[in-house]
């Protein structure tokens, strides 16, 4: 619960790139308003490219590649703890030409669990991000996490914990 309650999460991947071993360099501009789809074990999303302010570009060398530019989510869902949340906002900014695999992102998604509309927001970079949770009607953060993972609030978990619900 503490890891998911307004704590920044970090992951590290060390990559050693020797620029003298670059055999070719590329920079390809991507276009499309309706043909960009992203799917993995965490989310499915239909995306659109910012063709004006920060066009999406595939950049790199034979050693490292990634994206520069912005994409926005138009629709989709996030899967978290076996629950589905509908994406209400998604923005990804691939902004670092030296580290194109580490974009800044902000994603907000809503899900209904029992009587609560749970909003989950993730913001940061792939290597360092923060997750926030809120609910309507209001629940404390710890209760939101309990409801997402168990379907019960902390009080309900304590009440039913001795009867096999834990």
């Amino acid at each position: 619960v503490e890891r998911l309650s307004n704590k920044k999460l970090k992951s590290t991947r060390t990559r050693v790139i020797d620029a003298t071993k670059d055999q070719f360099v590329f920079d390809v501009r991507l276009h499309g308003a309706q043909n960009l789809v992203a799917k993995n074990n965490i989310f499915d999303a239909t995306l659109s490219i910012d063709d004006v302010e920060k066009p999406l570009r595939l950049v790199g060398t034979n050693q490292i590649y990634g994206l520069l530019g912005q994409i926005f989510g138009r629709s989709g869902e996030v899967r978290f703890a076996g629950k589905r949340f509908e994406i209400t906002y998604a923005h990804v900014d691939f902004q670092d030409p030296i580290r194109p695999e580490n974009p800044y992102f902000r994603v907000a998604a809503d899900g209904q669990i029992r009587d609560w509309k749970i909003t989950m927001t993730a913001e940061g970079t792939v290597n360092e991000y923060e997750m926030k949770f809120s609910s309507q009607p209001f629940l404390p953060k710890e209760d939101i996490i309990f409801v997402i993972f168990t379907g019960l609030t902390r009080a309900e978990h304590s009440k039913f914990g001795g009867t096999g619900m834990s």
Side-chain angles (χ1 to χ4, degrees):
V1 171
E2 268 189 30
R3 279 195 77 206
L4 296 173
S5 297
N6 291 336
K7 300 287 184 182
K8 286 199 173 187
L9 306 176
K10 293 183 179 182
S11 70
T12 57
R13 286 185 298 176
T14 304
R15 284 180 131 175
V16 178
I17 305 296
D18 181 356
T20 62
K21 294 183 180 178
D22 284 346
Q23 296 173 357
F24 62 90
V25 176
F26 58 89
D27 187 338
V28 179
R29 185 170 171 174
L30 305 170
H31 300 275
Q34 299 181 24
N35 59 353
L36 189 58
V37 176
K39 293 184 179 193
N40 65 20
N41 62 323
I42 299 171
F43 65 87
D44 294 340
T46 301
L47 308 165
S48 61
I49 296 171
D50 177 358
D51 255 342
V52 178
E53 193 173 318
K54 285 188 170 181
L56 190 63
R57 297 165 34 219
L58 178 64
V59 297
T61 71
N62 56 291
Q63 297 185 82
I64 187 170
Y65 54 89
L67 297 169
L68 289 177
Q70 292 182 347
I71 56 176
F72 298 92
R74 293 190 352 222
S75 63
E77 72 176 24
V78 175
R79 291 174 292 283
F80 181 74
K83 309 291 187 292
R84 296 180 185 276
F85 295 81
E86 291 297 315
I87 294 173
T88 58
Y89 177 84
H91 170 251
V92 181
D93 189 352
F94 299 93
Q95 55 191 359
D96 188 346
I98 297 170
R99 300 215 35 230
E101 81 286 0
N102 191 37
Y104 169 84
F105 64 89
R106 185 172 197 286
V107 177
D110 292 337
Q112 188 72 31
I113 302 174
R114 293 181 42 198
D115 296 332
W116 296 282
K117 176 185 170 186
I118 308 290
T119 300
M120 176 175 58
T121 306
E123 184 172 11
T125 66
V126 173
N127 291 340
E128 187 172 340
Y129 59 93
E130 185 174 13
M131 291 182 70
K132 296 179 182 177
F133 298 89
S134 62
S135 69
Q136 291 294 326
F138 174 80
L139 283 173
K141 291 175 196 154
E142 293 81 9
D143 276 338
I144 294 171
I145 301 300
F146 266 87
V147 166
I148 290 171
F149 282 99
T150 69
L152 303 171
T153 64
R154 288 179 298 166
E156 291 168 335
H157 189 269
S158 296
K159 181 179 177 182
F160 298 119
T163 60
M165 295 293 284
S166 62

